[in-house]
Amino acid sequence: MIPKLKQELLKTHQEDKRLTAISISLQIVVLIVGVLLLYMLAKDRIAIMINSITNEKGGLFRYLQGLLLVIIIIYLAYLISIYIQVTRRTGKIDTFFDKISDGAIAQHLIEHRIYKITIPLLKLKLKFFPIEYITIFLTNDPNTKGYKFPIAPEIIPEFKKLVSGLENDELHNAWYELYDNTLTVSSSDAIELPSEKAFNTFIKEQLASEIPSIAQSQLRQRKSYIMYIAFALIILTGWYSFMYSVNISNILKQYKVIFIGAFIGFFIILYGVIAIKRGSTTDVNSNHLYKTNIFKAIINFIAPGFQYALHGHISLEEFINIGLFQSKNYRITGNDQIIGNYKNVAFQRCDLLVEKVPDISTKMQTPNKVFSGQLFMAKFNKAFKCELYLIPKSGILNFDNDAETYLSYDLGETVTLEDPAFMKMYTVYSNDQIEARYILSTALMQRLKDLTLTTKGKYFISFKDQRITIANNSGKDSFETNVFTNYMDESLISLFYKEFCDQLSVIDQLNLNINIWKS
């Protein structure tokens, strides 16, 4: 896996290097042309305007000319430094993969997209040549700035599994079970969820000793957070006290909201920089510790064969192949991917955020949120040829995103079923009316209704290619903690365990390990 991903990163690096050179060249050309036009067409007018304001002849104007020249030189030096950093990236790629080979894993990831060329047109921005970037902060690594690389979107999910420490061979076997379309039934022993007594014993014997060190790490983070808030409030209060004590002008008072926003924004950025530097070295993020030391242990306790990728999620290709949403170049992020076999049913789950960034947007426009929640995919034990989709009715559930806007235009014909309560919950589409009714038996519809009502899920459901996919558009990210989570609360581990078991029990609730048609 490592040689392949390294080669792909180097390939994307070369493309990014080429586009960076083009972008810098265009900026330099635009800068030179703009300065020449300004000098040729507006030099005299600017000089007259400045002289009329200052009642000086030429002194201030020459000073501003010199200042402009210095700014241009600094900006050109900045552009050159960017290109130099890009040319040195191959060495960082080598260092990064050496650390991964030695067993390092990612504590924190940052993903963002940069358009190498952006053309502003009044309130609109035209964006061209998008490049995805990923910044990785490794645990116990002295490189506090992290490793920032351009990366091809199609390899991001595989890359995240690598930096989560997932073994390639074990992952491949679990993956094959889920995506193999042959009608083979796993020969592995059926896994049963451990009893509550067994789990409580496991907590006391295996996990209790890990909690104090995680709580100590959280305490250090919490102190830093509180000190930052206090420092920001002191600075903000002092600034406004000074403004009013010197009787600042009415113009500044009218725009005090802007000043407040600017100061808050500055300290948010400052805190982010401090948090990244602290979190990427010796002070490991407590949420990361809880997941790697506690949650991963819970998963292994349930079934050692389950594969857990802390930063993993499904790929764009997998998301589109579900069939529910339009085929577009979505931006996909997520975490907590678990792949395995439960009661002879291959499955995977992950938390997922799917966004669509418009190529033409206003300056303040944010990405459209297509989906946010949990995605659960499992294999049926008997084949079906049709495609069947269940779309939750917005009259029953309220959505906090644009999921309905991006639904596929090719879901098939509307299917009307004989269960009025079910039809109130879902709109049913299929390309085969008869087979759709066989799949959605009376018993299965009842189980889907029970699942929807008991969990209050906002489920988009797909039956396609011998798999069922249940996308819960909940708007939540499961299995997360923060600086104020009480790790010493004994019920916290039980809540994590119950949440995972509830998601896993979909296989039991829908009887996915039983053939949907009787022979």
Side-chain angles (χ1 to χ4, degrees), residues 107 137-138 140-141 143-144 275-283:
Q107 176 188 176
F137 298 92
L138 300 177
N140 301 319
D141 184 37
N143 179 8
T144 59
I276 288 173
K277 286 184 177 293
R278 289 180 59 83
S280 59
T281 53
T282 56
D283 191 16

Side-chain angles (χ1 to χ4, degrees), residues 264-333:
I264 292 176
F266 169 77
F267 283 107
I268 288 175
I269 294 172
L270 177 64
Y271 175 71
V273 171
I274 294 173
I276 288 173
K277 286 184 177 293
R278 289 180 59 83
S280 59
T281 53
T282 56
D283 191 16
V284 180
N285 182 281
S286 59
N287 185 55
H288 173 84
L289 286 175
Y290 199 85
K291 286 189 176 183
T292 53
N293 294 359
I294 304 298
F295 187 54
K296 186 176 181 179
I298 292 174
I299 295 169
N300 290 332
F301 173 71
I302 295 173
F306 287 0
Q307 301 300 308
Y308 173 56
L310 171 62
H311 304 291
H313 56 79
I314 68 170
S315 66
L316 174 62
E317 181 182 5
E318 289 176 281
F319 180 75
I320 292 174
N321 285 342
I322 292 169
L324 286 164
F325 297 94
Q326 300 168 31
S327 179
K328 293 183 178 292
N329 186 26
Y330 300 112
R331 182 174 180 268
I332 292 186
T333 56

Side-chain angles (χ1 to χ4, degrees), residues 450-495:
D450 293 342
L451 177 68
T452 304
L453 292 173
T454 55
T455 63
K456 298 180 181 179
K458 304 174 183 180
Y459 297 120
F460 292 80
I461 302 175
S462 161
F463 295 82
K464 185 184 178 186
D465 298 332
Q466 293 179 226
R467 289 180 291 275
I468 178 175
T469 302
I470 302 175
N472 184 10
N473 194 27
S474 64
K476 299 177 181 178
D477 190 359
S478 304
F479 313 124
E480 298 299 322
T481 63
N482 55 52
V483 293
F484 296 107
T485 300
N486 183 7
Y487 289 120
M488 303 305 293
D489 184 356
E490 294 182 357
S491 65
L492 180 63
I493 298 178
S494 298
L495 288 174

Side-chain angles (χ1 to χ4, degrees), residues 2-278:
I2 289 180
K4 175 187 173 183
L5 290 176
K6 184 176 180 180
Q7 189 63 34
E8 289 292 335
L9 273 187
L10 289 171
K11 180 181 176 181
T12 309
H13 158 70
Q14 291 299 329
E15 176 64 12
D16 178 65
K17 182 179 176 182
R18 183 183 69 86
L19 290 174
T20 300
I22 294 174
S23 175
I24 290 175
S25 300
L26 288 175
Q27 290 182 64
I28 292 175
V29 170
V30 171
L31 179 63
I32 293 174
V33 171
V35 171
L36 288 176
L37 289 175
L38 183 65
Y39 185 81
M40 293 168 53
L41 301 178
K43 174 187 174 183
D44 294 337
R45 293 184 180 180
I46 295 174
I48 293 172
M49 180 181 67
I50 293 175
N51 292 336
S52 65
I53 295 174
T54 61
N55 293 321
E56 296 182 9
K57 294 186 178 181
L60 181 59
F61 181 65
R62 285 192 297 271
Y63 170 77
L64 292 177
Q65 282 182 310
L67 180 61
L68 178 61
L69 180 61
V70 171
I71 292 173
I72 292 173
I73 292 173
I74 292 174
Y75 184 69
L76 290 175
Y78 166 72
L79 294 178
I80 294 172
S81 69
I82 290 177
Y83 188 74
I84 292 174
Q85 290 177 16
V86 170
T87 59
R88 294 175 177 173
R89 188 187 289 144
T90 52
K92 293 183 179 180
I93 292 176
D94 291 335
T95 302
F96 172 79
F97 278 102
D98 287 342
K99 292 180 180 292
I100 293 296
S101 298
D102 291 338
I105 64 172
Q107 176 188 176
H108 182 52
L109 300 176
I110 299 175
E111 298 176 64
H112 64 284
R113 177 181 295 176
I114 293 179
Y115 290 84
K116 306 304 288 189
I117 297 178
T118 301
I119 302 176
L121 295 175
L122 299 178
K123 293 185 178 181
L124 296 178
K125 290 193 297 184
L126 300 181
K127 304 173 184 177
F128 303 95
F129 305 112
I131 294 289
E132 299 292 336
Y133 287 86
I134 187 166
T135 305
I136 311 100
F137 298 92
L138 300 177
T139 53
N140 301 319
D141 184 37
N143 179 8
T144 59
K145 295 181 180 180
Y147 299 87
K148 180 180 177 181
F149 305 128
I151 186 169
E154 58 270 18
I155 71 166
I156 289 178
E158 191 174 359
F159 182 84
K160 287 183 176 180
K161 294 179 183 68
L162 173 68
V163 299
S164 297
L166 206 58
E167 294 293 337
N168 188 35
D169 291 339
E170 296 175 349
L171 174 64
H172 176 77
N173 294 335
W175 208 260
Y176 181 79
E177 279 195 82
L178 181 61
Y179 283 94
D180 176 33
N181 287 328
T182 60
L183 287 177
T184 56
V185 179
S186 173
S187 59
S188 61
D189 295 333
I191 296 170
E192 295 291 343
L193 295 177
S195 66
E196 183 177 353
K197 181 179 179 181
F199 181 67
N200 289 333
T201 301
F202 168 70
I203 292 176
K204 293 179 181 178
E205 295 180 353
Q206 302 292 329
L207 301 184
S209 60
E210 299 283 349
I211 299 299
S213 61
I214 298 175
Q216 285 296 319
S217 175
Q218 180 201 43
L219 182 61
R220 290 192 295 270
Q221 289 178 289
R222 187 185 299 166
K223 287 180 178 178
S224 298
Y225 181 79
I226 293 174
M227 288 176 62
Y228 154 75
I229 294 294
F231 178 69
L233 289 175
I234 291 171
I235 294 296
L236 199 60
T237 303
W239 169 255
Y240 277 96
S241 298
F242 170 75
M243 286 177 62
Y244 281 94
S245 66
V246 299
N247 194 24
I248 201 75
S249 68
N250 291 328
I251 296 178
L252 292 180
K253 290 180 181 179
Q254 290 175 3
Y255 292 96
K256 63 182 178 181
V257 174
I258 297 177
F259 279 90
I260 292 175
F263 268 84
I264 292 176
F266 169 77
F267 283 107
I268 288 175
I269 294 172
L270 177 64
Y271 175 71
V273 171
I274 294 173
I276 288 173
K277 286 184 177 293
R278 289 180 59 83

